[in-house]
């Protein structure tokens, strides 16, 4: 009888404890999802990594139009390649996805029989996608005009932008793109390549005409171009610095100056900062790609841009489509390959010496669309920053 009673009392005690635990679990589960998210984020930010590095973090609920979580979100930090978001959003907002980056072909002089007595002028508009196929199209257009000999020179017109071939604050030993408006297959040998392509196409260049004809009437032969929407894909998914800088300099055309400069382009980004509700003077915009050591932004600023994009459909749709997708493509293909973040996080990565960053969008388990920015500065190992970012993203998607 005593054994039976003891067993009954023990069983009752276990059941009671189980009910208490279940009740505790129930209480935890019924907290607002934002509180559960904050608890998860707080837990991640106990990492020893923050003892030796800086972190700027902000999460904004676009669905509820409210801030969810911040950590040093106003601290000015170097963005690395998340700087490309500011460039892309400004370009989509001010120029539009259909805006064309052009390379044009002109001739001067006259055509006598099959001979052009004059120059062929290639005018660069800083199209980073111009390749040999485009160049061959130019050769075909000249042949269709009946030209077999050019008694003149092949001239490269690079007046679209200033003579600076590198960005302000770029490191000399980085893999920097050449900032010239006349490239072919990313190489700064346009005139040489075009001369060789003309020869392959059966057109002889005698180079006997005058080298400079500033007042000569130009006759348009053809134009090759690519849209901002096209350029944006590799710019964001593959974090292409040349593509970003090419788009950045297009912004300078909005100032109606004849020559594009980085300062003129940056002035347009600063105008978008103001439209997004922040003060341009609080930040430093040096380039369009994030290579510069002189860029200083904040997590709050990048989230403000992401929010601004979301509020403007013509900006948000092409931007969202071009962002890397966690576990699937671009610079996020090998990250967040399991859990709830995969195929959920659409974000731009950033990585330069000492800086690892991530900014973009994801959807919480409750169906709320979130905009976020995470900047880790002072990291000795890029993997440490990426691991923290991936954990934070998983926490946002739960």
């Amino acid at each position: 009888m005593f054994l039976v009673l003891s067993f009954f009392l023990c069983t009752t005690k276990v059941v009671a404890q189980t009910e208490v635990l279940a009740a505790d679990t129930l209480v935890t589960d019924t907290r607002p999802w934002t509180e559960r998210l904050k608890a998860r984020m707080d837990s991640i930010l106990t990492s020893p990594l923050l003892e030796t590095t800086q972190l700027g973090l902000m999460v904004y609920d676009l669905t509820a139009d409210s801030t969810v979580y911040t950590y040093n979100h106003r601290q000015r930090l170097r963005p690395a390649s998340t700087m490309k978001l500011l460039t892309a959003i400004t370009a989509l907002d001010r120029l539009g996805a259909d805006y064309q980056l052009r390379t044009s072909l002109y001739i001067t002089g006259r055509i006598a029989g099959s001979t052009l007595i004059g120059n062929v002028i290639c005018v660069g508009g800083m199209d980073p996608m111009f390749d040999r196929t485009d160049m061959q199209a130019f050769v075909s257009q000249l042949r269709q005009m009946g030209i077999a000999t050019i008694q003149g020179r092949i001239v490269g017109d690079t007046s679209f932008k200033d003579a600076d071939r590198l960005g302000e604050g770029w490191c000399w030993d980085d893999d920097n793109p050449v900032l010239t408006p006349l490239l072919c297959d990313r190489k700064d040998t346009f005139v040489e390549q075009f001369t060789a392509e003309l020869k392959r196409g059966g057109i002889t260049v005698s180079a006997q005409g005058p080298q400079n004809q500033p007042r000569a009437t130009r006759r348009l032969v053809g134009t090759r171009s690519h849209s901002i929407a096209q350029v944006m894909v590799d710019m964001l998914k593959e974090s292409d610095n040349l593509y970003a800088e090419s788009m950045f300099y297009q912004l300078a055309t909005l100032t109606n100056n004849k020559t594009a400069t980085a300062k003129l382009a940056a002035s347009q980004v600063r105008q978008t900062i103001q439209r997004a509700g922040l003060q341009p003077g609080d930040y430093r915009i040096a380039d369009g790609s994030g290579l510069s050591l002189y860029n200083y932004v904040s997590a709050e600023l990048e989230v403000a841009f992401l929010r601004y994009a979301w509020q403007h459909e013509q900006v948000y749709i092409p931007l969202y489509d071009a962002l890397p997708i966690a576990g699937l493509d671009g610079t996020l293909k090998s990250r967040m390959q399991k859990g709830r973040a995969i195929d959920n996080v659409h974000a731009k990565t950033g990585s330069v010496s000492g800086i690892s960053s991530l900014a973009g969008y994801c959807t919480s388990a409750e169906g709320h669309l979130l905009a976020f920015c995470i900047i880790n500065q002072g990291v000795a190992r890029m993997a440490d920053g990426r691991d923290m970012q991936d954990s934070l993203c998983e926490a946002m998607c739960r």
Side-chain angles (χ1 to χ4, degrees), residues 73-374:
H73 64 300
R74 289 179 177 162
Q75 193 165 43
R76 285 185 287 272
L77 303 169
R78 289 169 53 203
S81 281
T82 56
M83 190 73 184
K84 293 179 175 70
L85 287 173
L86 276 63
T87 301
I89 291 168
T90 301
L92 287 169
D93 186 45
R94 301 302 312 283
L95 298 172
D98 294 331
Y99 174 93
Q100 300 293 313
L101 287 73
R102 304 176 185 276
T103 304
S104 300
L105 187 70
Y106 293 85
I107 60 173
T108 63
R110 60 188 178 86
I111 299 174
S114 61
T115 300
L116 169 65
I117 304 172
N119 293 334
V120 174
I121 303 173
C122 309
V123 181
M126 211 165 182
D127 177 3
M129 297 183 71
F130 189 95
D131 59 17
R132 187 183 176 190
T133 301
D134 295 304
M135 191 169 276
Q136 289 172 335
F138 279 165
V139 173
S140 295
Q141 288 173 312
L142 290 171
R143 286 178 57 83
Q144 289 170 12
M145 296 173 69
I147 297 172
T149 302
I150 298 172
Q151 190 175 317
R153 288 176 168 79
I154 309 302
V155 180
D157 184 337
T158 58
S159 60
F160 173 84
K161 70 173 291 292
D162 60 19
D164 293 342
R165 295 168 66 84
L166 295 176
E168 181 188 20
W170 287 9
C171 293
W172 67 268
D173 57 348
D174 272 348
D175 184 18
N176 298 314
V178 179
L179 300 181
T180 176
L182 201 53
L183 297 171
C184 181
D185 289 324
R186 308 178 71 96
K187 297 178 181 178
D188 184 23
T189 53
F190 192 101
V191 171
E192 293 86 342
Q193 290 184 73
F194 191 40
T195 301
E197 203 62 53
L198 287 166
K199 183 178 180 180
R200 280 190 288 268
I203 299 177
T204 302
V205 181
S206 67
Q208 293 177 354
Q211 187 169 3
N212 296 308
Q213 294 180 309
R215 296 182 181 179
T217 301
R218 294 184 176 186
R219 175 181 172 187
L220 180 64
V221 174
T223 297
R224 303 290 290 181
S225 65
H226 297 91
S227 69
I228 278 181
Q230 289 175 296
V231 172
M232 190 167 296
V233 175
D234 276 1
M235 169 185 164
L236 296 182
K237 286 202 181 285
E238 305 302 332
S239 200
D240 193 298
N241 294 318
L242 173 62
Y243 283 37
E245 293 300 332
S246 296
M247 190 175 296
F248 183 63
Y249 277 91
Q250 304 304 314
L251 296 173
T253 64
L254 293 165
T255 64
N256 294 320
N257 283 60
K258 291 183 178 180
T259 303
T261 68
K263 288 184 178 180
L264 291 173
S267 71
Q268 299 303 309
V269 178
R270 285 194 290 271
Q271 288 185 33
T272 307
I273 292 174
Q274 194 164 27
R275 284 192 289 275
L278 297 176
Q279 294 301 314
D282 291 340
Y283 311 98
R284 180 79 154 78
I285 309 299
D287 69 9
S289 62
L291 282 172
S292 178
L293 299 176
Y294 302 157
N295 290 312
Y296 277 96
V297 303
S298 66
E300 180 183 44
L301 175 63
E302 294 202 12
V303 167
F305 265 65
L306 291 166
R307 180 172 176 260
Y308 182 83
W310 181 73
Q311 292 172 332
H312 298 82
E313 188 177 81
Q314 76 278 10
V315 177
Y316 177 71
I317 292 176
L319 175 75
Y320 189 80
D321 289 345
L323 287 171
I325 305 172
L328 295 185
D329 68 16
T331 54
L332 285 179
K333 185 175 183 179
S334 61
R335 293 174 59 177
M336 295 176 270
Q337 294 181 315
K338 58 182 179 180
R340 296 188 178 180
I342 186 172
D343 198 17
N344 183 339
V345 173
H346 291 231
K348 181 71 198 73
T349 58
S351 179
V352 295
S353 181
I355 309 291
S356 180
S357 54
L358 186 69
Y361 304 98
C362 67
T363 303
S364 71
E366 287 72 20
H368 286 229
L369 182 64
L370 308 178
F372 68 89
C373 177
I374 311 164

Side-chain angles (χ1 to χ4, degrees), residues 1-14:
M1 180 67 179
F2 178 78
L3 291 173
V4 172
L5 181 59
S6 297
F7 176 79
F8 175 77
L9 291 174
C10 289
T11 303
T12 303
K13 185 177 181 180
V14 169

